[in-house]
């Protein structure tokens, strides 16, 4: 078998879910951030203020990346769970779902307009099943998690990275910002 002497052409494979990284477009897959550090801030609000300042100063902000470092999941307890609270929450969520289903049923009803029958049926059924599912879920926990909470992902600090071609100018501008007094309204 004889091989062809002409070079083969390499064609990149693309799909709607992945493609080559293009300048100015964030990568679709998780990638480590690149760039030189031009500032480091204790809060996201401070990092956002720095990027806003750079934008006002006509800095090419498309060269900036804000990176949260030392990530933590913070769970704040918002209250104690009681049977009353569990059942009220279950009934309320069931009512909303039942109301939605009832309104959908009226769309397919042979009668013109919104009728009370399907809406009330959906509402009452939704409240019933909301109560049942909430009670079963709370009972199955057996007191292991008798509190409500809200979770939030926060960082220990926020670094502002910049493309190397603009990093020096970015550092100089952010040094000017650091010399300004912090105004709560700005």
């Amino acid at each position: 078998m004889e091989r062809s002497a002409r070079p083969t052409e390499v064609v990149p494979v693309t799909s709607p879910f992945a493609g080559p990284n293009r300048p100015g477009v964030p990568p679709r897959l998780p990638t480590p951030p690149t760039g030189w550090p031009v500032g480091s801030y204790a809060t996201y609000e401070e990092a956002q203020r720095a990027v806003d300042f750079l934008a006002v100063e006509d800095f090419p902000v498309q060269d900036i990346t804000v990176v949260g470092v030392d990530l933590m999941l913070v769970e704040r307890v918002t209250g104690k769970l009681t049977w009353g609270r569990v059942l009220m929450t279950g009934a309320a969520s069931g009512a909303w779902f039942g109301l939605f289903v009832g309104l959908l049923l009226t769309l397919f009803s042979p009668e013109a307009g919104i009728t009370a029958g399907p809406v009330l049926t959906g509402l009452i059924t939704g409240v019933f099943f909301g109560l049942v599912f909430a009670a079963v879920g709370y009972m199955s926990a057996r007191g292991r998690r008798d509190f409500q909470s809200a979770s939030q992902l926060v960082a220990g600090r926020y670094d502002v990275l910049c493309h190397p071609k603009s990093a020096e100018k970015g550092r100089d501008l952010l040094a000017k910002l650091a010399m300004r007094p912090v105004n709560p309204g700005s």
Side-chain angles (χ1 to χ4, degrees):
M1 184 167 161
E2 188 176 310
R3 288 194 159 174
S4 172
R6 64 184 175 162
T8 58
E9 181 181 344
V10 176
V11 179
V13 177
T14 61
S15 79
F17 303 108
N21 290 336
R22 296 183 312 246
V25 177
R28 293 183 185 179
L29 296 175
T31 58
T34 59
W36 293 355
V38 293
S40 188
Y41 301 93
T43 66
Y44 180 76
E45 183 180 33
E46 292 171 347
Q48 184 179 0
R49 179 176 174 252
V51 175
D52 285 341
F53 176 77
L54 291 173
V56 168
E57 295 292 321
D58 291 328
F59 185 83
V61 290
Q62 64 273 12
D63 292 347
I64 295 291
T65 303
V66 178
V67 180
V69 180
D70 297 331
L71 295 180
M72 300 173 270
L73 179 65
V74 178
E75 183 177 18
R76 290 184 172 84
V77 176
T78 58
K80 182 179 178 0
L81 274 183
T82 61
W83 272 105
R85 184 175 279 193
V86 167
L87 294 177
M88 286 294 287
T89 303
S93 67
W96 278 113
F97 185 71
L99 183 64
F100 174 70
V101 170
L103 288 172
L104 283 178
L105 288 175
T106 61
L107 292 175
F108 301 106
S109 175
E111 300 173 22
I114 297 178
T115 57
V119 172
L120 285 176
T121 301
L123 187 64
I124 292 168
T125 306
V127 168
F128 173 75
F129 280 105
L131 284 168
V132 168
F133 287 130
V136 168
Y138 186 61
M139 202 171 11
S140 68
R142 296 188 191 120
R144 284 189 302 249
R145 189 170 168 91
D146 280 343
F147 60 91
Q148 287 179 314
S149 64
S151 296
Q152 185 180 34
L153 191 63
V154 296
R157 74 173 193 274
Y158 296 88
D159 290 343
V160 176
L161 305 181
C162 182
H163 191 275
K165 70 179 183 198
S166 311
E168 188 175 347
K169 181 180 177 188
R171 266 192 224 107
D172 291 344
L173 288 170
L174 291 179
K176 288 181 188 176
L177 175 65
M179 301 306 256
R180 290 184 174 181
V182 177
N183 289 338
S186 66

